[in-house]
Structures are given as C-alpha cells and as structure tokens.
Amino acid sequence: MSNSLHSKPQNVAILGATGTIGLQTLDVMAQHPERFKVFALTANNSVTGMLDLCLKFKPEYAVMLQAQAANELAVKLKQHANNTIVLSGEEALSEIASHEQVDVVMAAIVGSAGLHPAIAAAKAGKRILLANKETLVMAGSLFMKAVQDGAATLLPIDSEHNAIFQVMPHQRAKYLAEMGIRRILLTASGGPFRELSTAQMHAVTLAQALNHPNWVMGPKITIDSATMMNKGLEVIEAHWLFNATAEQIDVVVHPQSVIHSMVEYNDGSVLAQLGNPDMRTPIAYGLGYPERLESGVSSLDLLKIARLDFVAPDMQRFPCLRLAYEALKTGGTAPTILNAANEIAVEAFLAERIGFMEIAQIIETVLSASEIVAVESIAQLVDIDSAARAHARKCLLQHV
Ligand code: NAD
Ligand code: MG
C-alpha cells in the first residue's frame, strides 16, 4: 500500500468551489492535509464565498468567471495580505483545469459551463472527479474520447455512478456483457413530488420544489430531482461512463436513498452500494481511489432505517425522465438539445416565470422541432446548444 505520509501532497483544482459539491470536497480534503493541497479554486461570481475560501485554504490560484468579481476579489485579498493569484474568464478555467502542476480536478461547475474545463482536464491527462453530469449529457462521446486520448483517470462522483463504479469488476472490459453484467439499476429518490397526482403537480410552488427530502444540493440539480430530469440525465451519464445501452439501464425509485445504485450479474447476483445520503462518501472515494479515506460520514444505521422500498418510476407524471430516455435512444445531438432546453426551462422556473409541469413541455417542444444530426465536434455541439437555448427562450416569450 502506498504511504501518503512519504509522498508529496497531490495538487487539487476545484472547479465550482463555492458550490455544494465544491465545499464538500474541501471538507473531505481538510481531513487529509498531508495528502492534498488546494492548488486552485474557481467560482462564477461569489466574491465573499471565494474570499473566505482563499483566506482559509490559501490556494495558488483563484479564478472568477466574471471579470468584475475577479477585480473585487483581488482587492480584498490584497487587503488581507493574501498571495493567491486571481484570474478571470472562461479560458482561465480551462488553463487551471489543465495546469501542469495540477494532479486532480474536481469538476463541480453546474451546467454546460463545465464542459470546456472538463475537456481540458481530460486532454491534459488529469485525475478527473466528475460531478458535472451535464458534460456527459452534452458531449458524452467527445468527452470520453478526450479522456482516452489524454490517458486521464475518470472517477464518477454522482452518487449513483460512483456506486456502480464501486460494484463493477475492477478488471474492466469494453462491454457490460463481457463482464457478466446483465443490467444497471439506477436508484432514484423520486424527489419531493413522488406521491402527488398530475393535477397536484401542476400547482406546486418553487419553494416546494426546492425542498428535497434526502439531499442538500444546488438549486439547478434540486429542481432536476423534482422533475426527475436528474435521473434522466443520469441514465445518459451511465450510458457514457459504462458503455450501457438504454435497455441495460433501469430506474428504480427508492425513497430512502440508502442504496445508491446496483449492478445485476448474469448469475442473478445483484451488488449494491449503500450508505448515508452524503456526497462526501463518493468524493472521498474519488480522492482516495484505490484507497479508502475517512470522509466524515457517519455509519449507516440500518436498524433506524428499518425498511427499504422500491417502486417503478412513473413516466406520465415525470415526462422529463421519458424525454431523456428518448433522447438517449435517438442519439446524435438529441441529448445536447435536451440538456440545453432543460437548463433554460429550469432557470425560468427558478425565476418563477413558468409552472413546474411547463419545464417538460418546453423541452419537448424544442426537441420535437429540432433536427437531430450526428455528433462531430465540440464547436458543433456548442452551436447546437446555443440554438436550443434560443429556441427555449422563444418558447418562454410566447408563454408570457
Ligand atoms: P451549486 O449550484 O451548488 O454550485 C455550482 C458551482 O459552479 C458554484 O461554485 C458556482 O460558482 C459555479 N458556477 C456556476 N455557474 C458557473 C459558470 N457559468 N461558470 C463557472 N462556474 C460556474 O451546484 P452543485 O449542487 O454543487 O452541483 C455541481 C454539479 O455537480 C452539477 O453538475 C450537479 O448536477 C452535480 N452533482 C451535484 C450533486 C449534489 O449533491 N449537489 C450530486 C451529484 C451531482
Ligand atoms: Mg445523482
């Protein structure tokens, strides 16, 4: 076993450091200061959040997407006699993600903004801890190719995919069948509206949608969980990570969120990974792999949980899940369009411009009007993403 005390700490860059996953990553890293060094932190525009983190962790670099936020941060850091170098802009995110001194990249930006830095990290051969599922939905084939070409190490952080990764054979083969795997069972909490009727779902409020029963997460993924688009995005994510077809991925609603996902083998064995719903477990797994690290997560109290329930997902009440399966089966640029339209629709719901059930309607309208073509390049996907966003925005205008 490698002894971390005798080796140099690994330099970690956290993309999306001020977010839920970013902060939990820092929490786990702080438990292992001899193993990890905070090399770089990035955020969109949260100056106070980033200032606190820079003062506490003293990274070499801090990147703010917005130039004005970067200027403000630099002034404040100077006042505190802190030496962190402040950069700004999209390109700086990719420069940091591929910086030669960086060993590990936590990709925890929300949405398609995470794509370019994740690709840069892949091409530069980093160990990538991938939380940003939108990268795989938007550009799965090209991202996986960049991982392969760059000889990067890709570790899934999304709890379901981390669970699947943990229970798959360590000796990987190209196809699931070659590893004796029949199917993947992706568990879903079902979100806060699991038991509502369609009529009740039309009337839910933003506050109700933001109140997830089991997980604490950023606003976008919390809404995605309520619509079950999150599970749909995860089906597509599993397709790319594990080379599984849509038919090999089944969603199972499991309200307790204790089983994080399962793999069924040919002999009938079903292997599951269990634990408290706390993202520090997959984060610690990604940071330590193949070793196991203390994460700060408490022991699972099965006696207190007492029972585990399972029900089939309802595609009528949760059309977003159906749309995601359909986009995966259609292939080509369909998942890119699905993701882009979803980001705009969720943004509009968060701004209380549209109702909850209209999120799926907008996505379906955009998808059914779009021409689906084969994926060729990142530049092409960026154009298709922009066009789908513009179309979704037009739907919003027609709506009001
Ligand atoms: P969050 O909203 O809490 O944090 C997002 C982070 O990204 C922030 O640091 C923010 O400053 C940064 N950011 C936002 N927009 C940006 C932009 N345009 N450019 C650069 N940086 C930007 O989100 P989160 O809950 O931490 O989720 C992050 C990612 O991880 C998402 O893709 C989500 O689907 C995935 N994920 C999260 C969880 C969870 O439990 N929170 C679980 C699984 C997967
Ligand atoms: Mg998940």
Side-chain angles (χ1 to χ4, degrees):
M1 208 171 94
S2 69
N3 187 339
S4 56
L5 289 175
H6 297 293
S7 52
K8 228 175 88 231
Q10 292 194 293
N11 279 335
V12 181
I14 306 181
L15 313 177
T18 54
T20 317
I21 294 288
L23 294 174
Q24 291 178 101
T25 305
L26 287 164
D27 180 298
V28 176
M29 285 172 64
Q31 296 173 53
H32 305 279
E34 76 295 348
R35 294 184 70 122
F36 304 108
K37 174 170 175 9
V38 180
F39 182 79
L41 299 174
T42 86
N44 183 12
N45 57 9
S46 165
V47 175
T48 39
M50 192 60 129
L51 179 66
D52 286 350
L53 297 180
C54 287
L55 296 179
K56 189 162 173 202
F57 294 102
K58 303 191 172 50
E60 308 293 318
Y61 293 95
V63 185
M64 304 299 287
L65 182 71
Q66 320 271 333
Q68 202 195 324
N71 290 339
E72 277 177 45
L73 178 69
V75 169
K76 290 195 171 146
L77 284 172
K78 223 178 212 154
Q79 287 165 358
H80 286 86
N82 173 295
N83 294 327
T84 298
I85 298 165
V86 181
L87 306 174
S88 77
E90 251 176 63
E91 270 177 31
L93 292 173
S94 293
E95 277 164 26
I96 285 301
S98 56
H99 193 288
E100 61 169 6
Q101 280 176 270
V102 167
D103 303 301
V104 181
V105 175
M106 165 52 85
I109 289 175
V110 60
S112 57
L115 176 68
H116 286 289
I119 297 254
K123 285 186 178 161
K126 304 301 182 193
R127 172 189 283 233
I128 306 170
L129 276 48
L130 187 71
N132 176 249
K133 64 192 83 185
E134 293 91 345
T135 284
L136 280 171
V137 178
M138 188 181 167
S141 58
L142 300 176
F143 176 71
M144 293 306 284
K145 185 171 183 309
V147 167
Q148 203 170 23
D149 292 351
T153 305
L154 179 60
L155 294 163
I157 296 304
D158 211 346
S159 58
E160 296 77 3
H161 307 76
N162 189 266
I164 295 160
F165 188 91
Q166 291 196 38
V167 297
M168 269 173 82
H170 285 293
Q171 202 67 40
R172 291 293 156 90
K174 191 169 175 211
Y175 295 104
L176 292 183
E178 294 173 77
M179 292 180 281
I181 294 174
R182 237 185 231 160
R183 61 174 178 151
I184 285 171
L185 292 137
L186 207 59
T187 52
S189 71
F193 306 140
R194 184 170 49 87
E195 293 186 310
L196 297 192
S197 66
T198 311
Q200 286 171 318
M201 284 171 77
H202 276 282
V204 298
T205 64
L206 175 61
Q208 288 169 321
L210 282 173
N211 188 16
H212 195 276
N214 306 344
W215 296 93
V216 179
M217 305 178 288
K220 194 253 173 185
I221 178 173
T222 304
I223 301 306
D224 283 346
S225 300
T227 61
M228 289 195 76
M229 178 55 94
N230 183 50
K231 210 49 53 181
L233 301 179
E234 290 182 359
V235 169
I236 300 171
E237 186 183 9
H239 162 73
W240 291 115
L241 285 172
F242 307 116
N243 197 19
T245 62
E247 292 74 19
Q248 287 173 315
I249 308 165
D250 284 340
V251 171
V252 182
V253 176
H254 162 49
Q256 289 89 359
S257 296
V258 164
I259 295 181
H260 299 307
S261 277
M262 298 173 260
V263 169
E264 182 183 297
Y265 288 86
N266 287 341
D267 59 6
S269 294
V270 177
L271 300 196
Q273 185 261 357
L274 286 74
N276 285 321
D278 188 322
M279 289 303 292
R280 290 177 302 171
T281 296
I283 291 167
Y285 184 88
L287 284 170
Y289 180 81
E291 286 178 52
R292 295 276 181 175
L293 302 183
E294 181 61 61
S295 66
V297 175
S298 56
S299 290
L300 181 64
D301 188 345
L302 279 173
L303 298 180
K304 196 167 153 207
I305 292 157
R307 55 182 277 184
L308 301 176
D309 295 308
F310 305 97
V311 283
D314 182 342
M315 304 271 187
Q316 317 274 230
R317 284 188 304 126
F318 295 97
C320 284
L321 182 56
R322 170 179 58 82
L323 290 169
Y325 262 111
E326 285 171 7
L328 174 57
K329 286 179 187 165
T330 304
T333 50
T336 312
I337 296 165
L338 171 97
N339 182 64
N342 181 55
E343 287 191 24
I344 296 302
V346 170
E347 219 174 82
F349 178 72
L350 283 169
E352 299 188 274
R353 289 185 61 193
I354 58 169
F356 184 72
M357 294 304 276
E358 284 166 296
I359 297 174
Q361 284 166 13
I362 289 172
I363 301 164
E364 188 147 30
T365 304
V366 174
L367 264 172
S368 55
S370 303
E371 190 197 354
I372 309 298
V373 297
V375 172
E376 282 163 13
S377 66
I378 293 290
Q380 170 217 20
L381 291 181
V382 168
D383 285 348
I384 284 173
D385 171 270
S386 302
R389 281 165 196 272
H391 190 172
R393 287 199 186 97
K394 224 165 94 190
C395 296
L396 293 174
L397 286 179
Q398 281 157 2
H399 165 86
V400 284

